[in-house]
Each structure stands twice: as structure tokens, then as C-alpha cells.
Amino acid sequence: DQDCYRVGEDIKVSFVDGNPKRHDWVAIYEGNANPQNLAPLALLWLYTCGDQHCSSSASRGTLTFGSGSPSEGSRKQFPLPAGNYKAVLARGSQVPYDAMAVSQVFSISDTSCDPSGTIIDVLEDKGNFQTLLAALHATGLDEALRTAAGPLTLFAPNDDAFARLGSGAIADLLDHLDVLADILLYHVVAVDVRSDDLVDGTITTLNNDDIHVDLRSSGNIVLNGNTLVVGGDCLASNGVVHEINKVLV
């Protein structure tokens, strides 16, 4: 999915591990909305799953919408105005509804979607890469990713990914910065690789080790057999960031 769209442009959002079922439904929210309190915050009620707008895949639901006629129950007219949004896959008929999955935040712009910030700026703007940013800063790699002309590709573990390592493991890595730097460089590729560019096989990183890429029939991108790309193609002026749910080792 793209990170930014122009006003009126068709928008595609995906839900990883949402397991959409018929009669589930999707709503668009402001980017900072709490998906656990769905009804009062919905900007736009969208189509139920099970038709052409939401796939019945067991692991991913995809919704495409654009500047055409509003859907049933819509609360705002297409096109959506400029701003930051996310989509929520919901289930149930009682308030509060069950949020089964939430898409990554995407932006709608009435000017341009050309990226102006660096890879580090993207991480800072997203807000869920604080541990990665601290690790990059500790090793001095943050300045390299900020000033490098690129293009580069960063497979960026989110905060939950680092939390899975445990606080003890993180503290140990911060005491061995050479090991930490090597791990971080294993997440960087010296070319611009978008989601559509990835194919089954391997891709070589800046520490000269390979990441194994597996494109699943569900549409998911899996790295090294157990790491999922949960947010792809966040564009930066010097490359692209793909959010992943585990630290690659």
C-alpha cells in the first residue's frame, strides 16, 4: 500500500491477519483515532466484506476506494479531504465494535506526495520506531541514514518487534555497539526496493548477509521465514522504509 495519495486518487488499504468474513465492515478514521471506540469517530462507513471491495483471503483483506459515489452509510462525501487516516476492519453490530485489524496510517494530500524527508524523518514521523531510532543513534547510523544520498531501503522493526527481544537483550546490545551496528546494517539494502519489486529469493544487505524473501499466496511478504512486512513503501527523499514485525537476525 502507498503511504500518500492525492485528493481524489484511488486508495488501497490492506489488513494483515484480519481474517475478513462476510458482513464485516470497514471504516476510515483520522490517523490518531482510537479504533476501540469506533462508532463516534467514523469518518466514512465503507462496504461490507465478502463483495468485490474486501477479499475473503484468510490472512489479508484489501479494500480499494476512490473519488466515485459514496458507499452505503457514508458520513462524508468523497473525495476524503487532505489529512492522515487509517482504516479499521470491524465486526459486530453492538457498540463498541470489535476492531479485527487496523491498516497503517496513510496521508491524503491536496498538493504533492513527493517525499521531502529522509529515512530518519519518516521513522520520527511514524511514531512507532522509538527503539529503532535509539539504536541507530547509539551506533551513529542515524546520521548516515539522514545524510546518505541513497537510494536505500530500510526494513524497519517497529517498537513491538524490539519488545519481543526483551529488555535484557536490548540492554546487552547497547553494551556491544559493534554487534548492534551489524544487526542494524542487516536491515538496510543499498538500492530502492519497493514492495512490487520484491520477488522470491534473497536480497543482500549492507552487512553483506542475505535476507530471504517469500511472497505468500495470501499477498503477505515474509522475510527469513517468520518476519512479516506490516507496512510497506513509506517513501523518503533518500529511499523507502518497510515496517516489519520482528528484528531480523
Side-chain angles (χ1 to χ4, degrees):
D1 305 341
Q2 293 175 218
D3 189 49
C4 178
Y5 301 85
R6 294 292 302 275
V7 170
E9 183 180 4
D10 282 355
I11 296 166
K12 179 180 178 182
V13 293
S14 297
F15 306 99
V16 177
D17 297 329
N19 191 19
K21 300 180 182 298
R22 184 173 292 275
H23 305 308
D24 287 354
W25 50 275
V26 181
I28 302 298
Y29 291 77
E30 292 177 330
N32 60 355
N34 180 358
Q36 298 303 323
N37 188 17
L38 295 178
L41 296 174
L43 296 179
L44 181 65
W45 300 74
L46 290 169
Y47 308 91
T48 56
C49 295
D51 60 17
Q52 70 271 26
H53 300 285
C54 190
S55 78
S56 58
S57 166
S59 60
R60 173 177 290 222
T62 300
L63 173 76
T64 301
F65 59 97
S67 56
S69 300
S71 63
E72 294 180 9
S74 64
R75 295 189 174 182
K76 277 202 172 183
Q77 185 177 351
F78 275 116
L80 291 175
N84 295 320
Y85 300 92
K86 61 187 171 186
V88 177
L89 177 67
R91 182 171 300 161
S93 57
Q94 301 295 322
V95 178
Y97 300 97
D98 294 327
M100 309 306 296
V102 182
S103 75
Q104 68 179 32
V105 175
F106 59 90
S107 298
I108 296 179
S109 173
D110 53 10
T111 55
S112 173
C113 282
D114 294 334
S116 58
T118 66
I119 286 174
I120 294 298
D121 294 323
V122 168
L123 297 178
E124 291 174 344
D125 289 344
K126 287 293 182 182
N128 60 334
F129 297 104
Q130 297 307 306
T131 308
L132 175 59
L133 285 166
L136 290 168
H137 179 72
T139 57
L141 292 175
D142 58 337
E143 192 60 25
L145 289 176
R146 191 185 298 277
T147 59
L152 300 170
T153 297
L154 173 64
F155 293 99
N158 56 30
D159 288 336
D160 288 341
F162 277 98
R164 289 189 177 96
L165 296 179
S167 58
I170 295 173
D172 186 60
L173 286 172
L174 290 172
D175 287 336
H176 299 84
L177 294 182
D178 55 337
V179 176
L180 178 58
D182 188 64
I183 291 173
L184 294 174
L185 289 174
Y186 183 50
H187 293 72
V188 185
V189 180
V191 291
D192 186 324
V193 182
R194 309 290 174 89
S195 295
D196 289 345
D197 299 325
L198 290 169
V199 296
D200 289 332
T202 60
I203 185 169
T204 303
T205 67
L206 286 186
N207 77 345
N208 294 317
D209 287 328
D210 290 340
I211 295 173
H212 295 268
V213 180
D214 181 12
L215 304 184
R216 301 287 172 87
S217 58
S218 62
N220 290 334
I221 300 170
V222 179
L223 308 179
N224 289 352
N226 62 2
T227 300
L228 196 64
V229 176
V230 295
D233 298 329
C234 300
L235 303 184
S237 59
N238 59 346
V240 61
V241 176
H242 302 294
E243 180 181 352
I244 57 177
N245 69 344
K246 291 184 179 180
V247 177
L248 298 173
V249 292

